[in-house]
Amino acid sequence: MTEDFIINMLTLNAFTYQKFGDEQYKEAYTNWMYKLQNFKGFDSIEEACDYYLAQGEMQGDKLTAEI
């Protein structure tokens, strides 16, 4: 399992939960966030969330630069 895979699963479950609202996607998102925390060795889930959000911002910057 790679970091990219974990980030993609987080994104997929977040969007799916927003669209359909099923609790299973919310639970899956939480589980993937804990996997990211363990994978990166963060001390808290908050650090993992901050890292995930920063990755999204960097992706947005890359897409904007390509346009």
Side-chain angles (χ1 to χ4, degrees), residues 8-60:
N8 288 339
M9 291 305 293
L10 281 164
T11 303
L12 175 67
N13 282 286
F15 281 114
T16 308
Y17 176 70
Q18 287 296 318
K19 184 170 183 166
F20 299 109
D22 293 341
E23 281 297 309
Q24 67 184 10
Y25 301 115
K26 184 178 177 182
E27 291 170 14
Y29 177 84
T30 302
N31 289 335
W32 283 108
M33 190 60 72
Y34 281 114
K35 288 181 190 225
L36 179 64
Q37 177 187 1
N38 291 332
F39 186 82
K40 296 297 285 182
F42 294 127
D43 293 329
S44 68
I45 197 71
E46 287 81 15
E47 286 181 82
C49 289
D50 290 343
Y51 180 80
Y52 173 66
L53 293 173
Q55 293 301 306
E57 289 173 3
M58 288 184 351
Q59 280 294 79

